[in-house]
Amino acid sequence: MVAPWQWENATAGAVAGFTTVAAMHPLDVVRTRFQVNEGRGLSSLPTYKNTAHALFTIARLEGLRGLYAGFFPAVIGSTLSWSLYFFFYGRAKQRYARGGRDDEKLSPALHLASAAEAGALVSLCTNPIWLVKTRLQLQTPLHQTRPYSGLLDAFRTIMKEEGPRALYKGIVPALVLVSHGAIQFTAYEELRKVIVDFKERRRKSKSTADNLLNSADYAALGGSSKVAAVLLTYPFQVIRARLQQRPSTNGMPRYIDSLHVIRETARFEGFRGFYKGLTANLLKNVPASSITFIVFENVLKLLKQPPSK
């Protein structure tokens, strides 16, 4: 029988998400600013030479507030996203585990379907939060429009000036990016099974994955699965970020839709334009993913322990 660990999955995911954001947010700010800077003088953002220069420049000109711009919606979005993701993912795996089969033994295709389903639901729930986070991260002293004072002011202003549909700008590439989570979780699950099988053979005895794997294993699994997912899906992150920019002072958006972003980026920036900010993204997400899975697996292990009598 499959054990119903849905709430434990959600709790562990929430803790993991918060820990990750708190540790890695400055790199997220840098990545977002690189993603939307076309290099044609059309952006109100400063020009950064590389990730280190961006971090130094933001710290010097904007201080800690600049490095942690959009932190509040990032915390809410990440904590909620990971919580919902692990919850929906766990539910989907249980549903696909027919006949009481252990969900550890699901096929790669069913792991992929579970991850895709969870990702789509999370994207629909959290897109407005990510849009606000992106816009807050792009605010600089050079910004020409009245800056948002915070999360609630951003929501109110967007609703007033652009309408509720604006909160779902970038939803198309966001839904395509469901494949990111699907690729990552499928890679994670398959690599996890390989490591568990390898350790079982070395021990020459059957044991549960919880007893066989340690934090170093979870770090390696999380990091390696993240690299695979990032390299395959990063262009869609650039497209989403560019769509979610705040309209100019005349109210006109910089891009109309995803195809417009693709055409303009390919025309003026070439292939490299779709990978702007990749270094900052990898520096942020590879260790962040390792942290997330270390925290998730260990919190889940604690929650699964029976209460002491």
Side-chain angles (χ1 to χ4, degrees), residues 11-234:
T11 303
V15 174
F18 176 81
T19 305
T20 301
V21 172
M24 299 295 175
H25 190 75
L27 284 168
D28 190 51
V29 174
V30 171
R31 177 197 63 176
T32 302
R33 293 189 179 187
F34 270 120
Q35 285 176 337
V36 303
N37 198 332
E38 303 101 328
R40 291 186 284 147
L42 301 176
S43 174
S44 62
L45 294 169
T47 300
Y48 307 118
K49 297 177 183 177
N50 50 48
T51 301
H53 179 248
L55 287 168
F56 175 77
T57 303
I58 294 169
R60 181 169 57 87
L61 298 179
E62 303 171 53
L64 196 62
R65 290 187 64 180
L67 290 173
Y68 277 86
F71 180 69
F72 189 40
V75 168
I76 295 173
S78 184
T79 304
L80 183 61
S81 292
W82 279 109
S83 178
L84 290 174
Y85 199 107
F86 282 115
F87 177 77
F88 290 137
Y89 183 62
R91 288 293 296 269
K93 285 204 300 180
Q94 286 189 0
R95 192 170 63 254
Y96 290 130
R98 297 189 182 94
R101 184 174 57 184
D102 188 350
D103 62 14
E104 294 278 346
K105 304 300 181 182
L106 288 179
S107 68
L110 290 178
H111 277 137
L112 190 66
S114 300
E117 178 183 318
L121 290 170
V122 170
S123 293
L124 292 171
C125 292
T126 60
N127 196 77
I129 299 172
W130 295 125
L131 179 134
V132 169
K133 184 217 73 163
T134 296
R135 293 193 176 186
L136 288 172
Q137 288 180 333
L138 296 177
Q139 291 187 156
T140 72
L142 301 177
H143 216 266
Q144 297 176 351
T145 54
R146 183 188 73 82
Y148 303 125
S149 61
L151 177 64
L152 293 178
D153 180 58
F155 274 119
R156 283 195 297 265
T157 305
I158 292 168
M159 291 288 287
K160 180 181 178 182
E161 295 180 354
E162 303 171 60
R165 289 184 63 183
L167 294 173
Y168 278 87
K169 284 184 176 180
I171 189 61
V172 173
L175 288 173
V176 175
L177 279 167
V178 165
S179 61
H180 179 104
I183 292 167
Q184 181 182 0
F185 270 73
T186 302
Y188 181 87
E189 295 283 3
E190 294 308 305
L191 289 170
R192 189 171 185 264
K193 285 194 288 189
V194 169
I195 293 177
V196 169
D197 289 343
F198 174 74
K199 290 197 171 188
E200 280 182 345
R201 285 197 299 271
R202 288 188 64 185
R203 285 193 176 190
K204 298 181 180 179
S205 63
K206 284 283 185 180
S207 185
T208 64
D210 288 343
N211 294 330
L212 289 170
L213 300 179
N214 55 38
S215 292
D217 296 321
Y218 296 135
L221 288 168
S224 56
S225 61
K226 190 67 175 181
V227 170
V230 166
L231 293 177
L232 290 171
T233 63
Y234 190 76

Side-chain angles (χ1 to χ4, degrees), residues 232-292:
L232 290 171
T233 63
Y234 190 76
F236 295 102
Q237 294 187 39
V238 174
I239 294 168
R240 180 180 61 182
R242 295 189 175 193
L243 283 172
Q244 291 182 337
Q245 293 178 89
R246 191 173 184 178
S248 59
T249 50
N250 62 7
M252 292 295 293
R254 176 71 187 85
Y255 297 101
I256 300 170
D257 53 29
S258 297
L259 289 177
H260 187 209
V261 178
I262 294 170
R263 285 197 301 267
E264 292 285 294
T265 303
R267 178 185 176 190
F268 293 105
E269 302 167 68
F271 180 76
R272 292 181 63 182
F274 293 102
Y275 281 89
K276 282 191 171 179
L278 179 63
T279 300
N281 189 77
L282 289 174
L283 287 173
K284 168 187 176 287
N285 280 310
V286 173
S289 186
S290 297
I291 292 169
T292 297

